Structure formats: structure tokens, C-alpha cells
Amino acid sequence: MLRRSHKKSRGGCLQCKRRHVKCDEGRPVCLLCTMSGRDCSFVSQAPAENLSTLGNTSSHERSISPRDNHSHLGVDLPDVTPPTTAPPSHPEPPERQSINNYHQDPTLDDAVNLSHMELLIHMILDKGMFPPGGVTDYASTISLGLNIGLKSPYLLHQLLAFSARHLAFLHPDRSASYLHQAVTLQTRAVSLFNAAWTEVDQANCVAVLLFSSILGHHLLADTLAKRGGGLQAFMTHYMQCLEMHRGIYTVAKTAWPLLMESELEPILSWSAGFTSRLPRGNHCRRIRELVDGAEGLGEEGREACRRAIQYLQVGFDAMLGGEEEEEQGYRYEMIFSWTMLAPPEFTGLLAAKRPEALVLLGYYALLLHYGRSMWQVGDAGAYILGIIVEYLGPEWNHWLEYPRQRVADDLEPNTRISH
């Protein structure tokens, strides 16, 4: 089968090339290196046009310089290739253009049309668009987002983009139209954000965190919709998603004092209380044994895996904890938080396709499988676990036995993950 052609980033920085992720080629520091706090260097440091504007370092305690604190969240949207197999349960968007190749659609500057109104009304009325969590008053939270979006248009565009993404899932017969709207609005949102970027301060910290969080949910939904091409194709997109979520974590951590004085304080306190829990269950016992006995991981890599396992176990505790967890909104929280909380050292092991890290990702796939009723997830857990099993081969079946068996118990006999 002929592969669809795509434009490669040939002028990317050395760090992105080593990590095999797409670089936006922004200078003097590319966006992914800024998000993840890495030193950035190019073969040639000649000036190049950059979509982002890095603010000057400020010593004022109420403002945060992105250059010094690595809190810039500009992003180059990943290319998305249409599936080569049967479509997944939640549709995947068509191929995007890089932000660097973005040409503004003049219709986006027209007055709001009926299509935008449809997206707005859907967002206001359908509580299923966002995952259940620490939001106890959906109407008030959406009202807050819309009011802030009027002052920060990048947030408003991203809200409408996510609404279109949800409608594409709800209406498969019209998914192509909604997916086109989602991609167009999200591309515009990112362009507006990069153009407006200066620094995180008291005035914009809520808008920046809301924008980056919703964009993160959107990109995770797109990533989990990927089908075809095996583990390599999935990991290319998942690593890009991990980088984005790492940027969200950096923004939240750096701007935490400002955010705790904002309207988001109740939600952030709720989330912090959940992610700081100690694990209780024993669902990850076998993967802990694998990591503890693994050779060649090094103590830093071993500790990173242990932290990732700890967060996973908290996720299993919440997912399988019964009605109390459901009522408090904790059940699905780690599905979205784990990608953000996993340590950078663990991300490096995943990029290198270290078998122990892939087995750990297989346990995360089980967590996804338990959350398969969510529109952003669908059958992604079973699919990801299947491609991991296929890639690692039979010699790793012992370490993947627990997630494989749990998924197999929920699937029809003819769709079970093969041994």
C-alpha cells in the first residue's frame, strides 16, 4: 500500500532530532524544548522567523519569564495520517498542516456564523464533552471559560474546536465536517496563542492554563484515535502528546502561587489532593517486580518507572474503588493526569522503546480499557495493549499477563488479544 506523502522537518533542532519528535524550528529556542526545559541548539543559529515571542526576564514576583522557567506552551500541531484500517470507535481528524505553514483562512475573521453558534450551544448544554472530575457546577465553569475567552480569543477558539471534536464523535455521518472545523479552529487557536505570548502573570494565568488543558485533552483524544502502523506509528504521536502534557504540568507548577489566588483554586486543590494520594491496591505488583529486577535501567530510570507505577496504582484504586470514588469524580482522573505526571526520565525510556517502559504503558492501556465508556477513549486501551504485545513478542507475555487477561475477559472470544 502506498504511503501518504508528508513534509518532514529538515531544519529542526538537534534535541528534537535525537528524540525523534517534530520540531517547529523556532529560534533561538524551539517550542518543544521550551516546554520541556531542555537546552536547545541548531546546526546553524542564524535568525529565523518564529511564531512565538519569548518575554524578557522579569524579577517581579508576580510575573514569570517563560525563558527562565520553561513555562512557554506554544505548540506545533502534529501531522495526523488517516487510518489505513477500519475506523476506530471515535473518529480521527484529517491531516493537519504545521503551524509554521499555516495560512490564515480569511473566513475565520468574519462575524460568528451559525456553525460557530452550534458549537457554542453544544458546549454549554452537553456536560458529556468534558470528563467527569472536580467540576461540581458545570454551568458556572463553562461561564468562566467563556468570559475569559472573550478577553483571550485563543481560549475561545480552542473551546469551540473541542466542541467540534465532540460532535464529530456523536454524529459519525457528519464527522468529516465537524473534524474540519475542529482542526481549523484549533490551528487558529494555537496561532493566536503563540502571537499573544509574553509571560505568565496574574492577569493571564487562568486563560493560559485553561487553554493548555483543553488543548491537551483535545490532542490526547486525537492520539488515542490513531489506528494502523503498529507501535511505531502510535508512539510517534504519543510522544508528541507527552511533550504537550509536560508543558501543561510546567505551566501549572510554575504559576501555582498565582493560580491558587484565582477562580481555579477549588478545582486545582481538588486535583492536587487526588494526585498526591498514596497507592493502596496491588494491581501493579508484577510490573513493580519487573522494574526492581531489571538490568541496565540505572537508578534514575528505575525511580522514574516507580513514580509512574505509583500514579498508575492511584488510578486503579480510583477506577475500581466503587461508588464513593465515582461520586467524588475521581474515577477517570488519572486517565488524563498520568500522561502529564509521568516523569521526563520515563518519557525518555518510552522514546527508546525500553521493554520495561512499554510493559508499564501496557498497564496504562488497561486503565484506558476500564475507561472505555468515555468518548475520548473508546477501544484505545485494547488496541494499544495489542500493539505492545505484538511488538515485544511472546517472551514478555509473563509480564503482560495481568492486563492481557483483564482485557480479554471483557472482549468477545474472536477479538481477544492473541497469545
Side-chain angles (χ1 to χ4, degrees):
M1 180 178 295
L2 294 176
R3 294 188 62 186
R4 187 172 186 172
S5 63
H6 64 283
K7 182 177 180 181
K8 293 185 177 180
S9 173
R10 301 189 183 279
C13 75
L14 299 177
Q15 287 69 24
C16 286
K17 287 180 180 296
R18 290 194 192 102
R19 291 182 289 129
H20 304 290
V21 296
K22 186 175 180 181
C23 181
D24 72 295
E25 303 178 28
R27 303 192 186 207
V29 183
C30 85
L31 303 182
L32 285 179
C33 285
T34 306
M35 285 191 297
S36 56
R38 292 181 173 89
D39 292 330
C40 184
S41 59
F42 291 82
V43 174
S44 171
Q45 288 291 352
E49 186 174 348
N50 190 358
L51 283 172
S52 62
T53 302
L54 296 177
N56 294 326
T57 302
S58 170
S59 61
H60 195 285
E61 64 180 2
R62 304 301 291 173
S63 64
I64 301 164
S65 166
R67 185 65 183 92
D68 291 342
N69 295 284
H70 311 294
S71 59
H72 185 206
L73 201 74
V75 62
D76 183 21
L77 296 180
D79 291 330
V80 180
T81 305
T84 56
T85 58
S89 59
H90 48 301
E92 164 187 338
E95 188 168 19
R96 311 172 191 263
Q97 288 184 331
S98 166
I99 291 299
N100 288 330
N101 299 325
Y102 169 74
H103 298 288
Q104 182 174 329
D105 182 348
T107 62
L108 291 175
D109 291 327
D110 293 343
V112 174
N113 55 38
L114 289 179
S115 295
H116 295 145
M117 292 301 296
E118 179 189 19
L119 301 179
L120 179 64
I121 291 170
H122 175 71
M123 175 176 54
I124 293 172
L125 298 181
D126 196 325
K127 297 181 181 180
M129 194 175 99
F130 291 98
V135 178
T136 56
D137 188 343
Y138 182 83
S140 297
T141 304
I142 288 296
S143 177
L144 171 65
L146 292 175
N147 284 325
I148 295 176
L150 291 175
K151 302 174 184 177
S152 306
Y154 53 82
L155 172 58
L156 190 57
H157 279 74
Q158 179 53 49
L159 283 166
L160 293 176
F162 197 50
S163 180
R165 189 66 178 84
H166 187 219
L167 282 168
F169 166 77
L170 294 177
H171 303 287
D173 56 323
R174 299 171 58 194
S175 64
S177 174
Y178 286 126
L179 288 173
H180 176 73
Q181 289 186 70
V183 170
T184 303
L185 286 163
Q186 186 180 85
T187 301
R188 179 63 169 159
V190 173
S191 180
L192 289 169
F193 177 80
N194 288 349
W197 178 263
T198 53
E199 60 186 15
V200 178
D201 55 29
Q202 189 72 57
N204 68 7
C205 63
V206 174
V208 169
L209 185 64
L210 288 177
F211 166 76
S212 56
S213 298
I214 298 166
L215 177 61
H217 278 276
H218 195 151
L219 293 181
L220 182 61
D222 287 348
T223 300
L224 296 181
K226 293 299 299 179
R227 298 294 183 273
L231 184 70
Q232 180 60 47
F234 172 77
M235 290 300 293
T236 298
H237 294 273
Y238 188 61
M239 295 308 298
Q240 194 88 8
C241 188
L242 279 173
E243 292 285 349
M244 178 65 205
H245 281 76
R246 173 57 48 183
I248 298 172
Y249 179 78
T250 302
V251 167
K253 184 176 180 180
T254 306
W256 191 259
L258 307 178
L259 292 166
M260 292 305 286
E261 296 179 8
S262 73
E263 308 94 320
L264 297 182
E265 185 276 329
I267 297 175
L268 294 175
S269 295
W270 172 89
S271 180
F274 171 73
T275 56
S276 62
R277 285 181 169 189
L278 294 176
R280 301 191 306 269
N282 206 27
H283 305 85
C284 298
R285 175 183 57 83
R286 185 162 292 180
I287 182 61
R288 280 196 295 266
E289 293 174 357
L290 172 63
V291 168
D292 289 343
E295 297 181 359
L297 266 182
E299 191 53 39
E300 186 178 71
R302 206 184 310 276
E303 184 58 31
C305 288
R306 287 169 180 156
R307 285 179 59 196
I309 292 170
Q310 176 177 325
Y311 287 125
L312 263 185
Q313 185 58 63
V314 170
F316 284 120
D317 292 341
M319 186 71 71
L320 306 174
E323 294 182 359
E324 180 179 353
E325 300 288 348
E326 181 92 35
E327 291 174 358
Q328 295 180 3
Y330 291 134
R331 185 174 185 185
Y332 301 108
E333 177 68 12
M334 196 55 73
I335 282 179
F336 300 95
S337 296
W338 189 76
T339 302
M340 178 177 64
L341 295 171
E345 296 82 4
F346 173 71
T347 302
L349 295 173
L350 270 182
K353 296 186 181 63
R354 177 83 188 192
E356 295 85 355
L358 291 177
V359 171
L360 217 167
L361 184 63
Y363 274 72
Y364 174 64
L366 175 60
L367 193 68
L368 289 172
H369 176 71
Y370 286 145
R372 62 191 179 277
S373 62
M374 304 180 68
W375 73 270
Q376 301 97 324
V377 178
D379 63 352
Y383 172 75
I384 295 169
L385 182 58
I387 59 178
I388 291 173
V389 169
E390 180 181 5
Y391 179 85
L392 291 177
E395 61 268 30
W396 290 89
N397 280 353
H398 169 73
W399 300 108
L400 287 164
E401 180 181 356
Y402 180 78
R404 289 170 65 243
Q405 188 60 53
R406 298 286 78 75
V407 171
D409 288 344
D410 294 329
L411 298 177
E412 295 294 332
N414 61 344
T415 62
R416 291 189 178 187
I417 298 174
S418 60
H419 293 265

